[in-house]
Amino acid sequence: MSLIVHKYGGTSMGSIERIKNVAARVAKWYEAGHQLVVVPSAMSGETNRLIGLAKELMPQPDPRELDVIAATGEQVSVGLLAMALKARGIKAKSYCGWQVPIMSDDAFTKARITSIDDKKIRKDLDDGYVVIVAGFQGVTDDGQITTLGRGGSDTSAVAVAAALKAEECLIYTDVDGVYTTDPRVVPEARRLTKITFEEMLEMASLGSKVLQIRSVEFAGKYRVKTRVLSSLTDPHMPLSDEAISGTLITFEEDEQMEQAVVSGIAFSRDEAKITLVGVPDKPGIAYQILGPIADANIDVDVIIQNTSTNGFTDFSFTVSRNEYAKAMDVIAGVKSRLNAKEVTGDTKVAKVSIVGIGMKSHVGVASTMFRSLSEEGINIQMISTSEIKTSVVIEDKYMELAVRALHKAFELEQG
Amino acid sequence: MSLIVHKYGGTSMGSIERIKNVAARVAKWYEAGHQLVVVPSAMSGETNRLIGLAKELMPQPDPRELDVIAATGEQVSVGLLAMALKARGIKAKSYCGWQVPIMSDDAFTKARITSIDDKKIRKDLDDGYVVIVAGFQGVTDDGQITTLGRGGSDTSAVAVAAALKAEECLIYTDVDGVYTTDPRVVPEARRLTKITFEEMLEMASLGSKVLQIRSVEFAGKYRVKTRVLSSLTDPHMPLSDEAISGTLITFEEDEQMEQAVVSGIAFSRDEAKITLVGVPDKPGIAYQILGPIADANIDVDVIIQNTSTNGFTDFSFTVSRNEYAKAMDVIAGVKSRLNAKEVTGDTKVAKVSIVGIGMKSHVGVASTMFRSLSEEGINIQMISTSEIKTSVVIEDKYMELAVRALHKAFELEQG
């Protein structure tokens, strides 16, 4: 008997029929003797409907009140799922975030979980209940409702699994796992049966939308064995098959994994590049440029400072494309203060990254990447590296070509 | 500066435009210097939509989980109304039942309020906030969500007004007050400017749907000055006019009121009559008949026991028409146990009642009623009286005729 956490996304909870399927799947695990905690999202479309109502009243909705409204989507889901289980004759009980409680800070609409009290859940599990916990929501020390931001239910599930020291956290979603890259770009893309936590973190942060990045961070911090798998399969498929399906996020670098130097290719078109040309190369220059950007609450991604020539340097960085205009405004002020020669901007860029835990111990990975792009005639504008990934910024029209070339160069279709 | 509680029903909260109107009305009171607590219902249709989802999963939904789901309707309303006020530049803060907290027993779907903690609300009022409290919902000692049953938001509002010792509780609804009888039956029906609590209690219990009866009981118990008024008027109408509109439920029997012997005519077609003919007239007979009915959770209304003849009597009572079949089943068993001669039933009956605090001190009111019905050729089947009402059960096809005749006989159209 193991304690297992299941998480179901909005699509899986999208209709009464689908909720019945979720209940059938949960029942299968429960009847096999496992203790089950289930974390559902709001029914698909519901969160957007609620936010839409709010925006009709306030184009920039008040964050505290928006969370009061948005949290109801998951509250309805937990009640419905508990009923679907009871209709099957299974003992089930629902909890909202504040009832567990799942404590969070008070950063409304993007709160962070600070602690989870496991007492009530444990007692119910010991009493034979399937426990349904609302995803996406928490409560502050002074009893205010918060939500965790888009995709927050993933984080709720992993955090609950961590608090309960669950055997495994199963994230049921509308894809059947994590792929070497997006199959819509590379039809030969292959599902990974395992991926390390570090690689998953890079894949998530680089635009692979399978899991919310904070849930991956949580999984890493508390070493929660997490599996991404499909909720679209037959709920009655043999449990032994289901339990090994999807992609497992692991913490051990076993032999098989060391052989895979590169595990996947991530990419993002949501990039814009800004360059300050001819800045005096003095200590503190990076802070003088990026400080005002951070103050404007703009996230910076790749940062490059060229070698100094005659005491002057060029300084480039990338931001999200939808923050480009705001960033350019800020940089206009920086330019005059620093007496820089020129500001240039480019919104037609994309970022392509190779990710792999094996890169730590293998030389020549980056050079294979650069050679492969060069053979396709793709110019590299910026390069950024970490222990387990190498990213390049290129002209965005070459993005798919680059991804396909790299997928082939690293033989990812072969597994 | 007074502390005022407003309550708005589902129709008043039925769309974003209407919520803006509610905010405009609340703003008018707030800007006149009052402290405001507002209790909204769910947007019209929302509670039924949620219950409908639940019933797709369980024809008899689990009560605990149904309350988790149903409570979200009011939660959305408080968030939206707080935003509508903030959009007008007014400080506002929402509370769910559990946040106040509004404590209740654990009779899910029909819970009763046990206590209300006023500390948070008072602090917010002192800090200049309009406080929005979700109607219809409470929380048990062990933190489970409850709802108060249909119309429960009226009770929430009156209970909050009682806890805060508010100057007045204004129930905004889609009618403009309490009438001498239903204007759809008697076009000359007149709006009462005042009605005593006892009369309102009878009117509410006798089928006048303006206020939930438990809210009236609450108003009486804590002597909450409660006014029923329209939410369909122009929200910008002068506050001085609005403050005296509708119908005030009072606790003083002032001079003007003593003159009105009968204040209103209530009626209900939701009646069925059951008679046990030829029961032995022994002590405890009423209990032996009505005990099993109560055990079956069936409410009995009018009860009549005829004078005994040769040691036998006839025993009649009325029940809700939709519980008639169930009651007849129970009575079949009683008949054989008591060895009664016969059971007769009639679902074609209606109840018509005259209500008035003045009846206490005026003789001849009942006889005026009986004469008036007799003049119309209406046969009275059962009579039941209390200090401030007289009810008759008649054949239901005569109901409207009886109501019109009585309205005229007591000159209610003249005020």
Side-chain angles (χ1 to χ4, degrees):
Chain A
M1 188 186 76
S2 302
L3 199 171
I4 307 281
V5 175
H6 283 195
K7 183 263 172 179
Y8 293 90
T11 309
S12 315
M13 293 290 295
S15 68
I16 294 295
E17 274 321 300
R18 288 186 179 177
I19 291 172
K20 286 181 180 171
N21 274 343
V22 168
R25 197 179 292 275
V26 170
K28 176 177 68 184
W29 284 78
Y30 176 82
E31 282 155 5
H34 295 295
Q35 292 189 320
L36 266 292
V37 178
V38 186
V39 179
S41 297
M43 296 174 81
S44 56
E46 184 62 7
T47 306
N48 284 338
R49 182 184 75 86
L50 293 166
I51 292 173
L53 285 174
K55 286 193 170 169
E56 283 187 63
L57 288 165
M58 287 186 115
Q60 296 287 328
D62 178 77
R64 179 194 188 275
E65 302 301 336
L66 186 60
D67 279 359
V68 169
I69 294 168
T72 63
E74 278 71 18
Q75 185 168 332
V76 170
S77 282
V78 293
L80 291 177
L81 184 53
M83 283 193 201
L85 284 161
K86 288 188 163 221
R88 299 182 71 94
I90 292 176
K91 286 168 74 175
K93 199 189 265 189
S94 75
Y95 287 94
C96 296
W98 62 269
Q99 290 177 305
V100 174
I102 296 178
M103 305 303 300
S104 82
D105 61 23
D106 65 355
F108 297 109
T109 76
K110 49 179 191 294
R112 283 175 179 269
I113 295 174
T114 52
S115 69
I116 294 180
D117 186 337
D118 66 349
K119 278 195 291 294
K120 286 188 200 169
I121 296 178
R122 269 197 199 286
K123 171 155 195 331
D124 285 341
L125 290 174
D126 290 344
D127 290 347
Y129 284 93
V130 171
V131 178
I132 324 282
V133 176
F136 183 58
Q137 54 183 250
V139 64
T140 64
D141 285 339
D142 61 346
Q144 304 192 74
I145 296 169
T146 58
T147 69
L148 310 179
R150 286 280 159 157
S153 292
D154 289 342
T155 306
S156 303
V158 175
V160 165
L164 292 167
K165 298 181 179 57
E167 173 73 15
E168 202 167 320
C169 180
L170 305 183
I171 309 281
Y172 287 88
T173 178
D174 51 2
V175 297
D176 67 347
V178 181
Y179 276 70
T180 50
T181 196
D182 188 336
R184 285 170 299 186
V185 173
V186 183
E188 297 80 19
R190 190 175 42 81
R191 178 169 61 79
L192 297 162
T193 54
K194 290 186 182 183
I195 186 169
T196 67
F197 150 69
E198 291 92 341
E199 288 170 327
M200 189 64 217
L201 203 56
E202 292 290 356
M203 293 293 271
S205 68
L206 293 170
S208 169
K209 301 281 191 269
V210 177
L211 272 183
Q212 194 209 23
I213 184 155
R214 272 165 51 202
S215 70
V216 182
E217 291 168 0
F218 236 102
K221 188 166 172 190
Y222 296 100
R223 300 186 77 81
V224 178
K225 213 168 135 189
T226 302
R227 184 181 293 274
V228 176
L229 67 175
S230 175
S231 70
L232 305 177
T233 54
D234 176 4
H236 305 290
M237 76 185 277
L239 191 142
S240 53
D241 290 350
E242 187 170 305
I244 56 163
S245 69
T247 300
L248 179 66
I249 302 171
T250 64
F251 301 92
E252 306 93 39
E253 301 171 21
D254 64 19
E255 267 181 46
Q256 187 231 320
M257 301 192 76
E258 257 190 76
Q259 291 169 8
V261 176
V262 171
S263 293
I265 317 281
F267 54 88
S268 162
R269 204 186 292 275
D270 176 32
E271 304 284 329
K273 185 176 74 166
I274 296 174
T275 303
L276 262 156
V277 180
V279 231
D281 189 9
K282 295 183 300 198
I285 194 74
Y287 176 71
Q288 287 180 57
I289 295 169
L290 297 180
I293 294 284
D295 292 344
N297 213 13
I298 298 168
D299 271 336
V300 169
D301 184 10
V302 181
I303 303 166
I304 302 287
Q305 185 176 347
N306 281 1
T307 317
S308 173
T309 316
N310 302 325
F312 288 87
T313 184
D314 299 339
F315 192 98
S316 299
F317 59 94
T318 62
V319 296
S320 277
R321 216 173 268 187
N322 60 17
E323 297 193 309
Y324 172 71
K326 197 167 143 200
M328 283 298 264
D329 280 351
V330 173
I331 285 300
V334 171
K335 172 181 178 278
S336 53
R337 272 201 301 285
L338 292 183
N339 203 20
K341 206 158 79 189
E342 193 188 355
V343 175
T344 64
D346 186 355
T347 58
K348 291 195 182 312
V349 294
K351 185 171 65 171
V352 176
S353 309
I354 55 174
V355 175
I357 202 90
M359 289 168 68
K360 285 185 192 175
S361 49
H362 283 72
V363 292
V365 173
S367 68
T368 301
M369 180 186 202
F370 303 152
R371 188 189 66 234
S372 161
L373 294 176
S374 144
E375 283 170 6
E376 299 293 343
I378 300 170
N379 187 39
I380 299 171
Q381 301 183 14
M382 299 168 86
I383 300 171
S384 156
T385 61
S386 78
E387 277 212 322
I388 65 160
K389 75 139 206 254
T390 302
S391 301
V392 296
V393 174
I394 58 175
E395 196 176 345
D396 67 351
K397 70 178 178 187
Y398 293 122
M399 189 183 77
E400 287 85 354
L401 175 61
V403 172
R404 281 193 295 267
L406 294 171
H407 200 270
K408 194 159 199 307
F410 290 103
E411 300 177 339
L412 290 178
E413 74 283 2
Q414 292 175 25
Chain B
M1 189 185 76
S2 303
L3 199 172
I4 308 282
V5 174
H6 283 195
K7 183 263 173 179
Y8 292 91
T11 310
S12 315
M13 294 290 295
S15 68
I16 293 295
E17 275 319 302
R18 289 186 178 176
I19 291 173
K20 286 181 181 171
N21 275 342
V22 168
R25 198 179 293 277
V26 171
K28 177 177 68 183
W29 284 79
Y30 176 82
E31 282 156 5
H34 295 295
Q35 292 188 321
L36 266 293
V37 178
V38 186
V39 179
S41 297
M43 296 173 79
S44 55
E46 184 62 7
T47 305
N48 285 337
R49 182 183 76 86
L50 293 166
I51 292 173
L53 284 173
K55 286 193 169 169
E56 283 188 63
L57 288 165
M58 286 187 115
Q60 296 287 330
D62 178 77
R64 179 194 189 274
E65 302 301 338
L66 187 60
D67 279 358
V68 168
I69 294 167
T72 63
E74 279 69 18
Q75 185 168 330
V76 170
S77 282
V78 293
L80 292 177
L81 184 53
M83 282 192 200
L85 284 162
K86 288 189 165 220
R88 300 182 70 94
I90 291 176
K91 286 167 75 174
K93 199 191 265 187
S94 75
Y95 287 94
C96 296
W98 62 270
Q99 290 177 304
V100 173
I102 295 178
M103 305 304 299
S104 82
D105 61 22
D106 65 355
F108 297 109
T109 76
K110 49 180 191 294
R112 285 176 178 268
I113 295 174
T114 52
S115 68
I116 295 180
D117 187 336
D118 66 347
K119 278 196 290 294
K120 285 188 198 168
I121 296 178
R122 271 198 197 283
K123 175 159 191 328
D124 285 341
L125 290 174
D126 290 344
D127 290 347
Y129 284 92
V130 171
V131 177
I132 324 284
V133 176
F136 183 59
Q137 55 182 250
V139 65
T140 64
D141 285 339
D142 61 344
Q144 303 193 73
I145 296 169
T146 58
T147 68
L148 311 178
R150 285 279 159 159
S153 292
D154 289 342
T155 306
S156 304
V158 175
V160 165
L164 293 167
K165 300 181 178 56
E167 173 73 17
E168 203 168 318
C169 179
L170 305 184
I171 309 281
Y172 287 88
T173 177
D174 50 4
V175 296
D176 67 349
V178 181
Y179 276 69
T180 51
T181 195
D182 188 335
R184 284 169 301 186
V185 172
V186 183
E188 297 79 22
R190 190 175 42 82
R191 179 170 59 79
L192 297 163
T193 54
K194 290 185 181 181
I195 187 170
T196 67
F197 150 69
E198 292 91 342
E199 289 170 326
M200 190 63 217
L201 203 56
E202 292 290 357
M203 293 293 272
S205 69
L206 293 169
S208 168
K209 301 279 192 269
V210 177
L211 272 183
Q212 195 209 23
I213 185 153
R214 273 164 54 201
S215 70
V216 182
E217 291 168 0
F218 234 103
K221 187 166 173 192
Y222 296 101
R223 299 185 77 80
V224 179
K225 213 167 135 189
T226 302
R227 185 181 293 274
V228 176
L229 65 174
S230 174
S231 70
L232 305 177
T233 55
D234 177 4
H236 304 291
M237 76 184 276
L239 190 142
S240 53
D241 291 349
E242 188 169 304
I244 56 163
S245 69
T247 299
L248 179 67
I249 301 172
T250 65
F251 301 93
E252 305 93 38
E253 301 171 20
D254 63 19
E255 267 180 48
Q256 188 231 316
M257 301 192 77
E258 258 190 74
Q259 290 167 10
V261 175
V262 171
S263 292
I265 318 281
F267 55 88
S268 161
R269 202 187 294 274
D270 176 32
E271 305 285 329
K273 185 176 73 165
I274 297 174
T275 302
L276 263 156
V277 181
V279 230
D281 188 10
K282 296 183 298 196
I285 194 77
Y287 176 71
Q288 287 179 58
I289 295 170
L290 297 180
I293 293 284
D295 292 345
N297 214 12
I298 297 168
D299 271 336
V300 168
D301 185 8
V302 181
I303 303 166
I304 301 288
Q305 184 174 347
N306 281 2
T307 316
S308 172
T309 316
N310 303 326
F312 287 88
T313 185
D314 300 339
F315 193 98
S316 299
F317 59 94
T318 62
V319 297
S320 277
R321 216 172 270 188
N322 60 18
E323 296 192 310
Y324 172 72
K326 198 167 143 200
M328 283 298 265
D329 282 351
V330 174
I331 285 300
V334 172
K335 172 181 178 279
S336 52
R337 273 201 300 286
L338 292 183
N339 203 21
K341 206 157 78 188
E342 192 187 355
V343 175
T344 63
D346 186 355
T347 58
K348 291 196 182 312
V349 294
K351 187 173 64 171
V352 176
S353 310
I354 55 173
V355 176
I357 201 90
M359 290 167 67
K360 286 185 192 176
S361 48
H362 283 72
V363 293
V365 174
S367 68
T368 300
M369 181 186 201
F370 303 151
R371 189 189 65 233
S372 161
L373 294 174
S374 146
E375 282 170 6
E376 299 292 344
I378 300 170
N379 186 39
I380 298 171
Q381 303 184 14
M382 299 168 85
I383 300 171
S384 158
T385 61
S386 78
E387 279 212 321
I388 66 161
K389 76 140 203 258
T390 301
S391 301
V392 296
V393 173
I394 59 176
E395 197 176 344
D396 67 351
K397 70 177 177 187
Y398 294 121
M399 188 183 77
E400 287 84 355
L401 175 61
V403 172
R404 282 192 295 267
L406 294 171
H407 200 269
K408 198 160 194 306
F410 291 102
E411 299 178 340
L412 290 177
E413 73 283 4
Q414 292 174 23

